[in-house]
Amino acid sequence: MIEFGQPLALWTGLAIALPIIAHLAYRRIAYKLPFSSLRFLRFSTIPRSGRKKPSDWFLLILRTILFILITLLLADPYRRIPDIHSSKPSDLPEYLFLLDSTPSMSGWNAWDDGLSEIRSRLKNYPDYKFGLITVQNGSLVELPEGTSVKDLISGLEEIDVQDSPVGLSAMIDRAHELFSSEISSKNIVLISDFQKSSWQEIAGTFAKEGINLELFPVGHGGTIWQQRSGNCAILDTRVASGGEGKIRVWTALRNFDENRKDLNVSIVAGGKIRQINEIILPPLGTEQIQFKLPAEDFAQATVRIEGKDAYPLDDNQSLWILPPLPRTFGFWTKSNMDESDLLESQFLRAAMESAGTGIWDRWQEDDERSKELRLGIEGAPINLLLVLGLSGWFEDEKLAPPLFTHLEKGGKVLITPPQDSHVRMNQALNVSGLLNFTFGGMNRTAFRMEPYRFEVLPESSRLDKVFSGDSVRDLYLSQIQKFISIEEGNGLEVPLYDRAGRPLVLIRTFPGGGRIVFFSFRMLPEWSDLPMRNSFLPLLIELCGLNKTEDTSSGTLRLEAGDQKQNLNEFTNVHQIGLFQVGEQRLEVVHPLVESMPEVMARNELYDALLGGTLQVGNSGLDHYSQREETNQSLWLWFALSASIFSLLEMILSAPSLVKDKKQEAISG
């Protein structure tokens, strides 16, 4: 197949009209001849009109072909030839297409361009061995070398861009294993938009494996290996109570283009557009808008950008807009509770139920689930487990193993000491390995004496970010019976001390996100004035780590497509964007934001990373733009020779000839 190095030179082909115009404008020529007598001849004039049809068709065709050859010669014609080392069919080179199917390939027309290039090569070189490897829903799809062209084309029709940016590393690692062991020429054609966020951590060893690498960028527009433009994206959507029977949906949008964008953004619920807002996005800027909907009328909604841009996959985002599920808590106490256990459980129950902010942030006791957890039965997670008056009963019932399981899965546990003897509690915690500390002596606040006050929180303290002013200064313990003594380097955090420097609260965190919070005093008025203070509830929530994490929206777990979570073993569809519900857990799988970024990797960085060594021109392969010097045969000499031959013929045929026919037209002088 003939291609051109300077395709713009083909515009010179318009000069083909010149010989046609010249032949139409050619005048008839009259010759003067001597004649003996002119009296019987009348005067005539030389005709001034041009011809209605071209003269001398053969010469016109010859000149037209000459101009065509000159045009093609200026366009630098060449023919692409694959590198064939042997004429034997078994030694024909093998080509493996590595097709990037990450989300960014759906923008900038990258996916269609990539499929078109593969089909073109399959059509032009049907005798060579081709293979294909790509990723679909997190799994590799392989068509090894030698697969028929028909099966390869059929396979292309069954694949599509995926929602999650995973699998590139596995595809690179697997590629060299698909080549035949006896083949001498192994070639990989990597077709991708080379999105920087997807490729910046990918590495290969193609040079070590003796594989030639060709990079074929798609979706770069008119300027390859440059930052792309024309994309606006929905960064985030959040739902909150709007008051008076309303909910409020907040949406943040980003303009990745260097030009200002005027957009219409709508919210769709119940299959209808409920509201449309106009927004102006500054160049490379971010703005927020909000929508209001009736509360509890709809379960879900979709915010979308009206119209299309260069990358449409990030132009909409769906979210749950139902009131969030309540967060749960439960109690472990000894079977025969005494009065102090009963009073403490009543107080903490009232405190947790009042910790929410209404319908959008509720706490609810789940006594049934706490009993199942006590028996080691698997089930839904519980947000806070309160173990009150921990003592010998904890060790007798062998509750340490289920408590460890709960903590390893990210559970939060609050423990308070018993009312009387602390020896059995000390033994239960130390032997089980839950906490390692010892109690000190017993002390009480003497009548009308200075109470045991809390230490003023230093500015570097995490709790100082929660409280402001002097609210903590006035908190005190009306009496404390047991002080804690701990050794350094035991992995325990001490967030609160009294002013004498004695620990009041211990915290141990676990790798899975679990947390034990141990109070050295009970939540009772005769032990502490703390529960009576307004600061107690936010202090309790902060110490137990019960503030909502960044990946939740109103009690709904939000994941980016491709995320892996240990506590979602039942949910396997994280490679697909959408809304899902697993048991009582609502999930929002959203578009990965990094795929919206317009930056692409640098070509040389890709070669260095994928080849696994220094790039050698002509050794490890070049990309398809610079590879022509090595694998393309120039046709310039043949076209130049043809143009010279036709030019010589044209000069011979257009030379003036002697007048031999005396019967030609004559005029009198």
Side-chain angles (χ1 to χ4, degrees), residues 103 137 162-164 311 313-314 316-318 559-562 571 573-580 588-592:
N137 296 322
Q162 59 179 357
D163 289 337
S164 60
Y311 182 47
L313 198 59
D314 58 10
N316 61 80
Q317 190 172 119
S318 298
L559 307 173
E560 287 190 349
F571 184 65
N573 209 17
V574 292
H575 296 293
Q576 181 180 349
I577 294 174
L579 303 179
F580 307 91
E588 295 174 359
V589 182
V590 299
H591 171 266

Side-chain angles (χ1 to χ4, degrees), residues 278-296:
E278 296 181 356
I279 185 172
I280 298 175
L281 291 179
L284 303 176
T286 304
E287 293 290 342
Q288 288 188 0
I289 57 175
Q290 65 170 312
F291 303 92
K292 282 192 175 182
L293 292 176
E296 301 184 10

Side-chain angles (χ1 to χ4, degrees), residues 166 559-560 562-566 568 574-575:
V166 299
L559 307 173
E560 287 190 349
D563 278 353
Q564 301 295 329
K565 295 290 184 180
Q566 295 181 357
L568 291 177
V574 292
H575 296 293

Side-chain angles (χ1 to χ4, degrees), residues 224-530:
I224 62 171
W225 304 110
Q226 300 295 323
Q227 179 170 313
R228 298 166 292 180
S229 60
N231 182 40
C232 294
I234 295 177
L235 299 182
D236 194 14
T237 56
R238 298 286 172 175
V239 61
S241 176
E244 300 180 357
K246 299 285 185 179
I247 60 171
R248 182 181 287 108
V249 177
W250 295 91
T251 301
L253 299 102
R254 170 73 176 178
N255 181 15
F256 291 99
D257 197 271
E258 294 182 352
N259 299 311
R260 190 186 91 167
K261 297 291 183 180
D262 299 340
L263 303 176
N264 289 328
V265 184
S266 65
I267 185 167
V268 179
K272 295 182 179 180
I273 297 178
R274 303 295 172 176
Q275 188 177 343
I276 299 179
N277 289 347
E278 296 181 356
I279 185 172
I280 298 175
L281 291 179
L284 303 176
T286 304
E287 293 290 342
Q288 288 188 0
I289 57 175
Q290 65 170 312
F291 303 92
K292 282 192 175 182
L293 292 176
E296 301 184 10
D297 282 6
F298 309 103
Q300 53 188 263
T302 300
V303 179
R304 69 187 185 191
I305 298 174
E306 297 295 329
K308 293 290 182 70
D309 60 16
Y311 182 47
L313 198 59
D314 58 10
D315 288 351
N316 61 80
Q317 190 172 119
S318 298
L319 71 161
W320 293 102
I321 57 175
L322 285 172
L325 298 173
R327 291 185 282 177
T328 57
F329 65 93
F331 294 96
W332 283 3
T333 60
K334 59 185 178 183
S335 301
N336 52 339
M337 289 193 299
D338 55 28
E339 184 178 1
S340 59
D341 296 330
L342 182 61
L343 291 176
E344 188 174 33
S345 64
Q346 289 176 347
F347 169 75
L348 288 174
R349 183 179 293 109
M352 294 306 302
E353 289 177 350
S354 64
T357 57
I359 192 172
W360 288 94
D361 184 13
R362 293 176 295 160
W363 281 91
Q364 176 179 296
E365 183 179 3
D366 192 342
D367 183 59
E368 188 66 28
R369 179 63 194 125
S370 62
K371 291 179 180 178
E372 292 177 350
L373 187 63
R374 190 166 182 163
L375 297 174
I377 301 175
E378 295 286 341
I382 192 167
N383 297 97
L384 178 63
L385 179 65
L386 300 104
V387 184
L388 307 183
L390 188 148
S391 186
W393 59 270
F394 182 87
E395 190 176 21
D396 295 340
E397 296 185 32
K398 300 180 179 179
L399 296 179
L403 189 63
F404 262 114
T405 301
H406 176 66
L407 290 166
E408 289 171 353
K409 291 184 177 181
K412 309 296 191 299
V413 178
L414 183 147
I415 298 176
T416 61
Q419 184 72 12
D420 44 18
S421 174
H422 62 275
V423 176
R424 293 295 305 275
M425 181 200 72
N426 220 25
Q427 179 180 341
L429 292 176
N430 290 336
V431 172
S432 65
L434 287 169
L435 292 173
N436 185 14
F437 66 91
T438 56
F439 270 125
M442 290 182 154
N443 292 276
R444 293 177 180 271
T445 301
F447 181 69
R448 292 182 179 179
M449 295 296 292
E450 184 71 14
Y452 295 104
R453 294 188 179 276
F454 281 82
E455 179 192 33
V456 176
L457 296 176
E459 293 183 0
S460 60
S461 171
R462 180 170 55 87
L463 294 177
D464 186 62
K465 300 178 181 179
V466 180
F467 302 97
S468 60
D470 297 331
S471 58
V472 179
R473 293 176 184 266
D474 295 330
L475 298 180
Y476 64 90
L477 302 175
S478 57
Q479 66 174 343
I480 179 104
Q481 294 182 335
K482 302 178 179 72
F483 285 111
I484 300 172
S485 175
I486 61 174
E487 297 179 1
E488 294 185 2
N490 58 5
L492 298 179
E493 176 188 352
V494 184
L496 288 178
Y497 294 87
D498 76 343
R499 292 188 179 182
R502 291 170 291 202
L504 298 176
V505 177
L506 298 181
I507 294 179
R508 178 187 175 187
T509 56
F510 289 75
R515 173 186 292 245
I516 286 181
V517 180
F518 177 80
F519 281 84
S520 64
F521 50 89
R522 305 206 71 168
M523 306 300 173
L524 298 172
E526 64 268 20
W527 277 66
S528 170
D529 187 59
L530 179 62

